[in-house]
Amino acid sequence: MSEGTASVPGTPGEYYGRPTLRLESAHCWIDVLAVGGPRIVGFGFAGGGNVLAETPQAGWEAGHGWYELLGGHRFWFAPETLDCSVPDATGVALAPVPGATGPAVRLSGTVEAPTGLRKTVEVCLDSGSSAVSVRHIVTNEGSAARELSPWPITQLPLGGVATVELAAPPTEPRANPNQLLVLWPYASWTDSRLALGERSLAVTATSGTPFKIGCGSTIGEVSYRREGVIFTKRFDPAVGAPHADMGSNIEIYCDDRTIELESLGPLVRLAPGESVAHDERWELRRVE
């Protein structure tokens, strides 16, 4: 199974022919690729199916070779360039996570030759709930400094609704703006999938042309409701810190295959040898 595995507790499996490792608690399970990545390809309630999207045949020529989309969860960096999607089909090492109290694994990718960056993802399951902590670490192992923003992306199946709660009204009158919405050039404000509420935005995940919207969240939370299950990502919104993509820290992308929930950490300048981490907390909840 391994390209560089230590003694990591878990159940070997496969994802469309690719070796995986499954971590399980009494409440949920998560599958990570054991060869390639770091990638998360499955997440669900104990005894239940995968809530993440599966796109095993999707991919594109990324400028550095063929990039496999696969589905599930991947780790990029912003602003987006061809360097974000350097092929990662081989070269991951699995190891325990020091100090973890529940099922956990560290996935360390190889140094990407075009960027000099190494991506690491640490996955830790809660023992008492259907929640998972996902830490994303990018390390500059090249010879030059790089400015970037950690950018985790989670693909989910069509058929649900993604929601972001926006900033609450100020407690006193203010003259300066406190909300930010950003649209990509291929998207339209009149897209029928977009709905703006009093203090929220929603994107209905139906098949269509590509659509993407970003916002500057003060809460650090984005959710997706589908078939009686709510999947939620939470993170530190780092309010006031500089961000890529005109200030966005949450982005939602939808096309004819999947919808993506994306969070972004602040822009940082990494000197050679420096690292930055961005933490997400995932939760599953059943609703009527």
Side-chain angles (χ1 to χ4, degrees), residues 76-119:
W76 281 8
F77 59 89
E80 183 172 0
T81 67
L82 289 177
D83 284 347
C84 294
S85 50
V86 174
D88 61 355
T90 60
V92 75
L94 279 63
V97 178
T101 57
V105 64
R106 171 182 287 169
L107 311 168
S108 298
T110 58
V111 177
E112 299 175 349
T115 67
L117 301 176
R118 184 192 302 275
K119 298 169 184 172

Side-chain angles (χ1 to χ4, degrees), residues 178-241:
N178 73 330
Q179 299 187 65
L180 172 76
L181 296 179
V182 176
L183 207 62
W184 268 248
Y186 49 79
S188 169
W189 292 112
T190 61
D191 194 301
S192 62
R193 292 168 290 186
L194 173 65
L196 296 177
E198 180 69 22
R199 295 290 169 179
S200 66
L201 72 84
V203 176
T204 300
T206 55
S207 179
T209 58
F211 173 83
K212 187 169 185 177
I213 190 168
C215 69
S217 172
T218 60
I219 300 170
E221 179 177 309
V222 57
S223 296
Y224 186 63
R225 177 171 178 161
R226 179 179 181 270
E227 296 181 351
V229 173
I230 296 180
F231 168 77
T232 301
K233 293 170 60 155
R234 296 185 176 91
F235 64 99
D236 178 0
V239 177

Side-chain angles (χ1 to χ4, degrees), residues 7 10 16 23 40 42 48 75 87 103 105 107 110 115 122 134-135 156 187-188 209 248 257 265 274 276 284 286:
S7 55
Y16 298 93
L23 306 179
I40 298 170
F75 180 19
V105 64
L107 311 168
T110 58
T115 67
E122 294 180 352
V134 185
R135 166 160 282 197
L156 297 146
S188 169
T209 58
S248 300
R257 291 182 300 203
E274 291 185 333
V276 64
L284 290 177
R286 290 189 175 92

Side-chain angles (χ1 to χ4, degrees), residues 48-67:
N50 188 9
V51 302
L52 305 183
E54 300 179 4
T55 59
Q57 305 306 320
W60 58 84
E61 175 57 47
H64 305 291
W66 184 257
Y67 184 81

Side-chain angles (χ1 to χ4, degrees), residues 149-175:
S149 169
W151 181 20
I153 302 172
T154 308
Q155 287 186 280
L156 297 146
L158 298 177
V161 179
T163 306
V164 178
E165 297 300 319
L166 301 177
T171 56
E172 58 188 39
R174 295 181 182 177

